[in-house]
Amino acid sequence: MSEITLAGLEKRYGDTLAVEDVSVTIDDGELLCLLGPSGSGKSTTLRMLAGLETPTDGEIRIGDEDVTDRPAYERTTATVFQDWALFPHKTVLENVAFGLKMQGMGKDERREQAREMLERVRMGEYADDDPMNLSGGQKQRVALARSLAVNPDVLLLDEPLSNLDKRLSEDMQIELREIHAELEETFVHVTHDQDEAFTLADRIGIMADGTLVQVGEPNEVYENPKNRFIEGFLGDTNFVAGEVERTTADSVHVETELGREVVLPRTAGADGAAALAAGESVALSLRPEVLSIEPADAATFDGEADRTQPVRTDGSTTNAVVGTIENVLYRGSTIRYSVAVEDTSLFVERTVADSGAFDAGDEIRISWDGADVLAFRDDGSRVDL
Amino acid sequence: MHRERLENALFRAGYLAILTFMLLPLAVVVVTSFAESGNLAFPPEHYSLVHYRTFVEETHWLLAFDNSLLVGVGTTIIATTLGVTAAFGHEIDDGRAGQVLAPLVLIPLLIPPIILGISMRVYFVRAGIGASYPSIILAHTLWATPLVYFVMRSVFSRFDWQLLDAAKDLGAGPIRSFVYAVLPNVKHGIFVGALLAFIISLQEFVMALFLSSRSTETIPVVAWTQIRQSLDPMVSVVSTFLIIISLIAIVIATIATNLDWLSKQLS
């Protein structure tokens, strides 16, 4: 049983609060990714889990045991470090056998087990090599084998893939998933790379400024972010500033810097909109994937009609603006257009395969369903529409 | 380009001249040790090994060698232990105590040894160990520890501290993680620090003068008393031995620290 519970975890260095009130329960066998920008406290949280840092407040439980004050060498966790931290004066095999040696296992037995673990990560032929002569990907495998060799209840991974190139990192993500599926151990993986987190995680915990902002399954945190920080951090989006004009029974009308009113439908039961006062400023998030574009001259565009259009029975509203393409950015499989709309600009994307590429200077119509738009208050909290 | 090379050559020549001028007395010492006559004169009129024979036969010189060796080894052990652990502790806990430690450790090097010698003489007599081996060893340790400490600070600053974390994480307690993860990676640095401590002790004179008795005199102290009586080539013989010991130590240190580098170059 290796369920992990963090309760009110805090780490303070002098006057700086590195981690503040982090509480989460990690299920047995789960792979949790702590995702956040650098300095968000995710590595510190992981180090506290490992026992390499002592929390200034709060509690850590692994299984039924309170391990808050237990040092790293008495915990059943094993860490894969960012720079892998292989012992330079030992061979690859001795590195992997080190944990077993510390457990007091006899020489032949531990070498045998270490060899098996090296085979498992496909590094068997490098057993007698100097780890310093290995490539990044190989060091990574050895570090993983060394941590797995002690048969930990919890494997902690501190950005181990961040020093690998993109392709190698993606291969390792798949391998890590496979190893996790095979071992059924609890993994906590720290990363600043959202693609990595989305690929690996059963659940993602998003950290910012030392706090754990939201924990949830990948699609949940992406589609249902708790605040503006998460919406901006995960994927790319356009934030459009606006002011609430009026609220009706089934919609919220927002006057925006796009020069048009945007109509957001309200869901029955949600009470966030009721608290919105007319004149309150909000930020709307328009993700490029919800924006459709077409040439402006082909569109039957009537702004006034859009403005008065009520919310449809399926809960959707149509919103549209016309803008001029300023920049065309080729990003491999997609093309990104930066479009000037009134005093601001929106970016939209098309896949290369889509027919009809636009050029700078073209006028296009951008339209979207109001139901796909998220709104955030000035303090960053999301409006429950 | 041409000018630059000329300037380089001139600088090197100048540097070499100064270095030679400073080191020449050592050569004089070595040469005079082979003099036949009983007066210290350079260059000697005749050469012989007569003073080397006297040296081997005179027990108080051999006793001084034993004393120096004993004091040197004692100083090395204590100063290295203190210096290494202090630097290690400072590195893993860089708190308020650490900020005070560095200047504090430096103080013995800033006080003139004659003052240290006199005060320690008074202090150690009161403490009941008077003029004995321990008192000389402690005095030399006071000097050698800061040097070991600063050597180790620089060694530890290049150490990858994640290795210590990794060892602890894999189940090694405080002592075993130090022995298995830290020590193998800083052993050359420790060796150099220890050697430095030994040489400091070997050549220290002022404090040893105040703190030694007839039976615990180290080489520099015996040399001093000898010179005060008569300036004879025996002092040169002893000095030659000291120079040889120091040279051997430096060669060993160079080999030890560059062994890895050397083996990498050869493979």
Side-chain angles (χ1 to χ4, degrees):
Chain A
M1 192 44 196
S2 47
E3 178 186 274
I4 304 166
T5 313
L6 308 183
L9 210 57
E10 180 197 278
K11 180 66 186 181
R12 192 185 284 277
Y13 296 102
D15 295 333
T16 348
L17 205 53
V19 171
E20 191 182 354
D21 194 22
V22 167
S23 300
V24 64
T25 299
I26 306 163
D27 297 333
D28 189 21
E30 185 180 9
L31 200 164
L32 179 85
C33 273
L34 288 179
L35 176 65
S38 50
S40 59
K42 55 191 193 308
S43 279
T44 309
T45 305
L46 194 82
R47 286 176 62 81
M48 287 194 277
L49 261 172
L52 296 167
E53 300 281 353
T54 317
T56 39
D57 198 11
E59 195 184 76
I60 302 170
R61 304 179 72 86
I62 297 177
D64 295 328
E65 284 175 286
D66 182 347
V67 298
T68 315
D69 295 317
R70 197 176 289 182
Y73 48 90
E74 284 172 6
R75 290 196 192 184
T76 54
T77 57
T79 310
V80 180
F81 293 87
Q82 183 168 9
D83 304 314
W84 311 304
L86 297 176
F87 302 122
H89 54 283
K90 295 182 185 295
T91 66
V92 167
L93 188 75
E94 284 166 354
N95 263 281
V96 178
F98 183 79
L100 299 171
K101 183 178 178 180
M102 293 302 106
Q103 288 174 2
M105 189 183 281
K107 190 170 182 178
D108 291 337
E109 200 183 347
R110 67 173 187 252
R111 288 179 77 90
E112 171 123 348
Q113 283 198 18
R115 210 172 275 280
E116 272 172 30
M117 198 48 82
L118 277 174
E119 295 291 346
R120 188 174 203 158
V121 296
R122 294 185 276 115
M123 286 295 294
E125 56 185 304
Y126 297 96
D128 299 320
D129 283 25
D130 177 348
M132 294 302 106
N133 294 336
L134 302 179
S135 71
Q138 290 170 333
K139 283 182 188 171
Q140 215 275 322
R141 285 167 198 279
V142 175
L144 188 62
R146 184 176 70 176
S147 295
L148 290 175
V150 295
N151 193 22
D153 287 339
V154 185
L155 186 70
L156 306 171
L157 302 115
D158 188 5
E159 306 215 30
L161 307 181
S162 63
N163 288 342
L164 303 179
D165 62 51
K166 194 167 185 293
R167 173 68 63 81
L168 199 54
S169 163
E170 284 167 1
D171 290 347
M172 280 311 300
Q173 289 167 25
I174 295 167
E175 258 181 75
L176 272 179
R177 262 237 81 103
E178 286 169 3
I179 288 172
H180 176 249
E182 192 183 330
L183 295 176
E184 296 176 333
E185 276 170 13
T186 311
F187 280 33
V188 181
H189 184 109
V190 160
T191 182
H192 64 269
D193 180 340
Q194 47 172 303
D195 292 335
E196 194 175 307
F198 279 108
T199 309
L200 285 170
D202 292 326
R203 279 194 305 162
I204 292 177
I206 295 182
M207 293 198 68
D209 298 330
T211 58
L212 187 61
V213 184
Q214 187 174 5
V215 186
E217 287 173 18
N219 62 329
E220 188 194 327
V221 289
Y222 187 79
E223 287 164 14
N224 209 358
K226 208 169 164 185
N227 64 20
R228 180 179 166 151
F229 167 79
I230 297 177
E231 178 73 356
F233 183 67
L234 299 178
D236 293 323
T237 190
N238 295 289
F239 281 112
V240 175
E243 234 174 51
V244 175
E245 196 210 20
R246 64 197 162 94
T247 315
T248 68
D250 60 356
S251 64
V252 176
H253 297 249
V254 180
E255 199 61 53
T256 66
E257 56 178 339
L258 297 171
R260 298 209 64 82
E261 182 182 73
V262 174
V263 184
L264 310 174
R266 290 174 62 179
T267 353
D271 55 356
L276 277 181
E280 187 172 346
S281 60
V282 289
L284 306 181
S285 166
L286 304 178
R287 285 205 182 270
E289 64 259 30
V290 308
L291 301 175
S292 3
I293 53 177
E294 57 189 321
D297 50 346
T300 50
F301 177 60
D302 183 347
E304 286 310 308
D306 283 333
R307 180 190 282 268
T308 52
Q309 191 173 41
V311 178
R312 298 191 195 90
T313 45
D314 64 355
S316 68
T317 64
T318 306
N319 298 273
V321 289
V322 171
T324 313
I325 294 180
E326 282 183 315
N327 269 308
V328 182
L329 209 63
Y330 292 93
R331 290 159 57 97
S333 60
T334 60
I335 304 172
R336 178 175 284 196
Y337 299 105
S338 168
V339 186
V341 181
E342 290 288 314
D343 296 335
T344 180
S345 73
L346 294 177
F347 72 87
V348 293
E349 276 178 354
R350 281 208 146 179
T351 61
V352 170
D354 285 347
S355 58
F358 298 106
D359 292 315
D362 288 357
E363 285 229 314
I364 58 167
R365 178 180 187 262
I366 304 171
S367 59
W368 64 91
D369 177 356
D372 292 331
V373 175
L374 303 180
F376 300 93
R377 290 188 189 83
D378 266 353
D379 63 3
S381 66
R382 183 162 149 220
V383 181
D384 186 16
L385 287 168
Chain B
M1 185 66 202
H2 207 74
R3 201 192 133 121
E4 200 173 292
R5 272 165 71 177
L6 188 72
E7 283 172 353
N8 266 342
L10 274 175
F11 177 78
R12 283 180 195 179
Y15 199 102
L16 203 67
I18 294 174
L19 202 66
T20 312
F21 181 73
M22 290 192 302
L23 289 177
L24 223 49
L26 295 184
V28 173
V29 166
V30 175
V31 170
T32 50
S33 74
F34 293 103
E36 193 180 6
S37 75
N39 295 324
L40 202 60
F42 183 82
E45 281 173 36
H46 301 284
Y47 293 90
S48 87
L49 288 173
V50 60
H51 296 291
Y52 281 86
R53 180 179 305 152
T54 328
F55 171 78
V56 181
E57 283 163 1
E58 271 189 46
T59 50
H60 73 278
W61 276 113
L62 291 177
L63 181 69
F65 251 95
D66 287 349
N67 288 344
S68 272
L69 204 66
L70 186 78
V71 170
V73 170
T75 303
T76 305
I77 292 171
I78 302 176
T80 307
T81 311
L82 290 179
V84 171
T85 48
F88 179 71
H90 193 170
E91 206 63 53
I92 55 175
D93 182 10
D94 198 10
R96 191 168 281 259
Q99 289 169 2
V100 182
L101 189 63
L104 204 67
V105 162
L106 203 62
I107 287 178
L109 292 181
L110 302 177
I111 299 174
I114 187 145
I115 294 178
L116 276 182
I118 294 169
S119 10
M120 274 190 285
R121 164 113 206 164
V122 175
Y123 174 74
F124 284 139
V125 168
R126 276 283 174 86
I129 50 175
S132 62
Y133 290 123
S135 59
I136 309 177
I137 290 175
L138 287 177
H140 286 179
T141 301
L142 200 62
W143 256 38
T145 305
L147 295 168
V148 177
Y149 170 79
F150 284 111
V151 168
M152 289 317 292
R153 281 304 305 267
S154 121
V155 169
F156 281 137
S157 72
R158 280 179 309 222
F159 176 69
D160 176 8
W161 290 93
Q162 243 185 19
L163 296 178
L164 184 67
D165 284 345
K168 282 185 184 164
D169 190 63
L170 291 165
I175 292 172
R176 288 201 298 175
S177 59
F178 181 79
V179 170
Y180 286 114
V182 182
L183 213 51
N185 294 296
V186 299
K187 59 178 187 229
H188 300 321
I190 293 178
F191 185 74
V192 170
L195 214 56
L196 205 61
F198 183 76
I199 292 175
I200 290 287
S201 165
L202 196 65
Q203 51 112 42
E204 201 287 325
F205 159 63
V206 180
M207 289 189 288
L209 183 66
F210 282 99
L211 294 168
S212 57
S213 66
R214 188 94 191 120
S215 62
T216 61
E217 280 175 342
T218 58
I219 297 168
V221 177
V222 176
W224 166 250
T225 30
Q226 191 98 358
I227 291 168
R228 293 220 311 175
Q229 287 156 13
S230 66
L231 207 57
D232 75 20
M234 182 55 77
V235 175
S236 296
V237 172
V238 175
S239 303
T240 305
F241 275 114
L242 283 182
I243 292 169
I244 290 170
I245 292 174
S246 298
L247 274 180
I248 291 174
I250 288 165
V251 169
I252 292 173
T254 313
I255 292 173
T257 45
N258 279 330
L259 219 53
D260 282 349
W261 178 81
L262 205 66
S263 67
K264 282 221 169 74
Q265 297 300 308
L266 294 175
S267 65

